Amino acid sequence: MQTLDKDFNERLAILAKEELASTLAGISHGIEREALRIQPNGKLAQTPHNEKLGAALTHDYITTDFSESLLEFITPPEQNVDKTLGQLRDVHKFALANIGDECLWPMSMPCYIDDQNEIPIAQFGKSNVGKMKSLYREGLKNRYGSMMQAIAGVHFNFSLPDSFWDIWLDKVEGSENNKETKSAAYFALIRNYRRFCWLIPYLYGASPALCSSFIKGKNTTLPFKTIGKGSLYLPYATSLRMSDLGYTNSAQSGLMTCYNQVDTYIASLRKAISTPSEIFEKYAGKKDGQYQQLNSNVLQIENELYSPIRPKQPTKPLEKPTDALQARGVEYIEVRALDVDPFSDIGIERNQFFFLDVFLVYCVVMPSLDMTPDSYRETETNLRAVVDHGRDPELMLSTEGESVPMNQWAAELFAGMRQVAKVLDTNHEVAEYSKAVEQEWQKIVDPALTPSAKVLAILLGENKDNGTLGVELASAYKQSLNQAEYKFFDAEKLSQHAVSSLDAQHHIEQSDTVSFDQFLSDYFTYQFN
């Protein structure tokens, strides 16, 4: 550790030099926020995706995720935090104005759903690519159940500008910035992120409770307690969304994704999407004339891999994500460990941007050793420990095979992040980054300040059902967003974009020249580049 500390200080000194620090102004962010549409009584909306919102297949800002009822709002890459927040709020406002009396569920764990068959699978039109997207979701339903797919999250997209990599790679690695070296640097960031990822659900986990319908018929050894009319909670949980009940699904526990190099990462993903699965073979072929999944391999496609972070490269039409990575390298990373913030009307709050920038730049500056299978499993074990009982004051984590109190490790991380925050503050001529770090540090000092603790304090203090709280917040947020002013988009522009997206979907549908069966055969027969 002393060698790593020495290397960190040397790398931090390079970061702090004005020529390099000035490039940090070019950090870009984008947000993807998921939200279930609900009826005023808190039940899942059964209505189809409203055409006034445009076509989910082709709209840039409003789409659907697994379910027709699970909206996803997307912002384009921007350097200005307030612009991103404003755009996200504008899109929320527009959506709420066009879904009648429905509201947006403000939590990660779903509302009360009596039967998973009530969760309608998202539809993307009559084109082959649209049918493929829906069939992929049918496969997810068969493999994991629809209830898991109704979980919502926030994805934080982050990229450093090429001007940063030009100087950083030259000064630190002695190499020029190209596809290979930049990808390797992003993968170094990713490895450190996975090592320290447990901190994210501790700070931002907001799902310590869930509606009892979520685990109906499931076997779980988690020692749930009951509150209200039947909501379940764990006293020290931070993010049940990230637990084995949620998106870190045990069905994928045997996958060992390699994050040491972009080539090994691609190879491990390609192996998973080309290896037949005995478990999923039962869904092979058609049932009543309809396919049940895209294929019976371990993963249908790359997107099925559940991971708290992904390396990303924008894809061209019908291009596989691994092909895009191989052809053009890593362009940005997608942080996927964030719960929806129930205390924000748009699911994320401003301070998170500044802290996550510090955290991710810290992951760049900290030397990053390759991962072994044991160190990979250690990151998984630490993450599970924090999502299930992260606010336990006696919680111990493991680093390099040695047990360490969580608070002690957090203190070491924050000491380094404070130094990174000073560089960011100096360059931007603000104090936002250091303030963000200190605000999050207070959650380490006092776990009652974490979102998960705040949610439980309300539920326990008022003996309130998780669903009741969700409906109250959803109604309040609909009212406040309806009264808000548009800042970057407006109703006319978003309406025009909706019409354009419908036209674009129609064009795709008219352009198909082969049957769906042939389309699928061609897609999966195609060999990786």
Side-chain angles (χ1 to χ4, degrees):
M1 290 296 292
Q2 289 182 343
T3 302
L4 288 181
D5 290 342
K6 179 176 180 292
D7 290 344
F8 171 78
N9 290 328
E10 291 175 351
R11 290 157 69 104
L12 182 72
I14 294 171
L15 181 76
K17 292 182 179 178
E18 183 177 357
E19 180 187 21
L20 183 56
S22 64
T23 67
L24 296 173
I27 291 174
S28 290
H29 318 93
I31 297 297
E32 302 166 26
R33 186 264 164 112
E34 300 158 352
L36 287 170
R37 288 186 291 110
I38 59 167
Q39 302 171 46
N41 62 5
K43 292 187 176 181
L44 185 68
Q46 298 296 305
T47 49
H49 187 68
N50 198 310
E51 278 203 352
K52 292 180 180 178
L53 301 180
L57 180 68
T58 50
H59 201 293
D60 291 328
Y61 313 129
I62 304 173
T63 183
T64 52
D65 194 77
F66 170 78
S67 173
E68 194 78 346
S69 307
L70 183 56
L71 289 172
E72 183 173 350
F73 304 122
I74 303 167
T75 67
E78 297 285 356
Q79 296 172 4
N80 185 291
V81 169
D82 292 315
K83 185 172 183 180
T84 293
L85 286 166
Q87 290 173 333
L88 188 60
R89 183 164 276 106
D90 289 346
V91 175
H92 276 70
K93 174 179 172 63
F94 179 78
L96 284 164
N98 286 283
I99 57 174
D101 63 354
E102 294 172 357
C103 298
L104 299 177
W105 184 247
M107 298 177 172
S108 278
M109 299 307 287
C111 58
Y112 186 89
I113 301 172
D114 188 53
D115 186 331
Q116 71 165 4
N117 292 317
E118 296 176 5
I119 305 171
I121 290 176
Q123 301 299 311
F124 298 92
K126 299 180 292 185
S127 67
N128 284 330
V129 67
K131 291 177 183 177
M132 181 178 172
K133 288 172 74 72
S134 292
L135 178 56
Y136 166 59
R137 287 154 173 79
E138 184 71 32
L140 294 177
K141 173 184 177 180
N142 288 328
R143 290 170 173 226
Y144 312 112
S146 293
M147 201 70 81
M148 191 187 89
Q149 306 302 323
I151 296 171
V154 173
H155 299 163
F156 183 87
N157 298 325
F158 170 93
S159 67
L160 286 152
D162 273 330
S163 56
F164 170 86
W165 293 119
D166 288 342
I167 302 171
W168 178 260
L169 290 168
D170 176 45
K171 301 296 185 184
V172 175
E173 305 292 345
S175 61
E176 64 179 21
N177 176 19
N178 56 41
K179 178 185 74 174
E180 288 76 20
T181 56
K182 184 166 78 170
S183 294
Y186 269 120
F187 268 81
L189 180 165
I190 288 169
R191 290 193 299 277
N192 276 336
Y193 174 91
R194 289 200 65 103
R195 291 182 177 103
F196 313 139
C197 178
W198 56 265
L199 186 62
I200 301 301
Y202 177 86
L203 297 175
Y204 298 120
S207 52
L210 46 77
C211 295
S212 58
S213 62
F214 186 82
I215 63 169
K216 186 168 65 176
K218 292 183 180 179
N219 293 321
T220 177
T221 58
L222 293 173
F224 281 113
K225 298 179 181 294
T226 303
I227 189 172
K229 296 179 181 179
S231 292
L232 304 175
Y233 74 99
L234 293 178
Y236 293 123
T238 60
S239 175
L240 293 175
R241 166 183 169 266
M242 293 291 293
S243 73
D244 283 344
L245 289 173
Y247 268 109
T248 55
N249 189 272
S250 56
Q252 295 187 12
S253 59
L255 292 179
M256 189 66 70
T257 309
C258 183
Y259 292 93
N260 289 337
Q261 300 171 5
V262 65
D263 290 343
T264 55
Y265 173 80
I266 290 171
S268 58
L269 266 185
R270 287 178 174 174
K271 179 181 179 182
I273 62 178
S274 60
T275 301
S277 165
E278 292 183 7
I279 298 174
F280 302 139
E281 177 64 29
K282 61 185 174 181
Y283 303 116
K286 294 184 178 181
K287 180 180 180 181
D288 299 326
Q290 301 295 321
Y291 288 111
Q292 301 179 80
Q293 58 185 353
L294 289 175
N295 55 58
S296 17
N297 295 332
V298 175
L299 300 179
Q300 299 174 90
I301 55 176
E302 292 97 328
N303 290 348
E304 192 172 336
L305 176 70
Y306 302 124
S307 173
I309 190 169
R310 284 180 183 166
K312 300 282 282 190
Q313 168 63 240
T315 55
K316 300 173 183 177
L318 293 178
E319 185 180 34
K320 295 178 175 68
T322 52
D323 285 351
L325 282 175
Q326 187 173 62
R328 299 183 296 282
V330 182
E331 186 62 29
Y332 66 99
I333 55 108
E334 179 186 51
V335 171
R336 300 168 54 83
L338 296 172
D339 278 6
V340 173
D341 183 352
F343 302 111
S344 165
D345 57 357
I346 56 174
I348 187 170
E349 51 89 20
R350 191 171 184 268
N351 194 70
Q352 286 178 265
F353 282 78
F354 297 102
F355 178 80
L356 288 170
D357 277 359
V358 173
F359 180 74
L360 293 169
V361 173
Y362 173 81
C363 288
V364 172
V365 177
M366 175 61 72
S368 182
L369 301 174
D370 281 356
M371 278 188 165
T372 65
D374 284 344
S375 61
Y376 176 86
R377 282 188 286 268
E378 188 176 64
T379 68
E380 297 280 279
T381 300
N382 287 335
L383 185 59
R384 282 196 299 272
V386 172
V387 300
D388 288 345
H389 41 93
R391 285 177 287 104
D392 183 343
E394 305 299 320
L395 180 61
M396 302 290 288
L397 300 179
S398 176
T399 175
E400 299 178 5
E402 295 186 6
S403 291
V404 59
M406 190 202 77
N407 289 349
Q408 178 183 322
W409 194 354
E412 294 172 3
L413 294 177
F414 271 85
M417 286 190 285
R418 287 187 179 97
Q419 297 180 70
V420 171
K422 287 179 183 178
V423 175
L424 286 160
D425 278 337
T426 300
N427 173 66
H428 288 80
E429 297 182 341
V430 297
E432 305 261 24
Y433 298 94
S434 293
K435 287 180 180 177
V437 170
E438 294 312 316
Q439 180 173 319
E440 301 309 324
W441 170 248
Q442 291 307 309
K443 295 178 184 177
I444 304 294
V445 175
D446 183 4
L449 298 176
T450 60
S452 57
K454 289 181 177 180
V455 168
L456 277 187
I458 295 171
L459 298 182
L460 294 171
E462 303 176 25
N463 193 32
K464 183 174 291 186
D465 227 32
N466 195 56
T468 301
L469 176 60
V471 170
E472 290 173 354
L473 292 172
S475 177
Y477 294 155
K478 176 153 187 161
Q479 183 176 354
S480 66
L481 284 164
N482 281 340
Q483 295 172 352
E485 298 290 332
Y486 285 106
K487 290 188 176 181
F488 296 97
F489 300 132
D490 57 44
E492 182 180 1
K493 180 176 180 179
L494 289 169
S495 294
Q496 290 173 348
H497 196 87
V499 172
S500 297
S501 71
L502 290 167
D503 290 341
Q505 175 177 306
H506 180 70
H507 175 73
I508 292 171
E509 291 170 347
Q510 295 300 308
S511 300
D512 280 343
T513 58
V514 299
S515 68
F516 184 52
D517 284 5
Q518 186 62 51
F519 174 83
L520 283 184
S521 176
D522 292 345
Y523 185 85
F524 288 109
T525 302
Y526 167 76
Q527 297 298 307
F528 296 111
N529 290 329

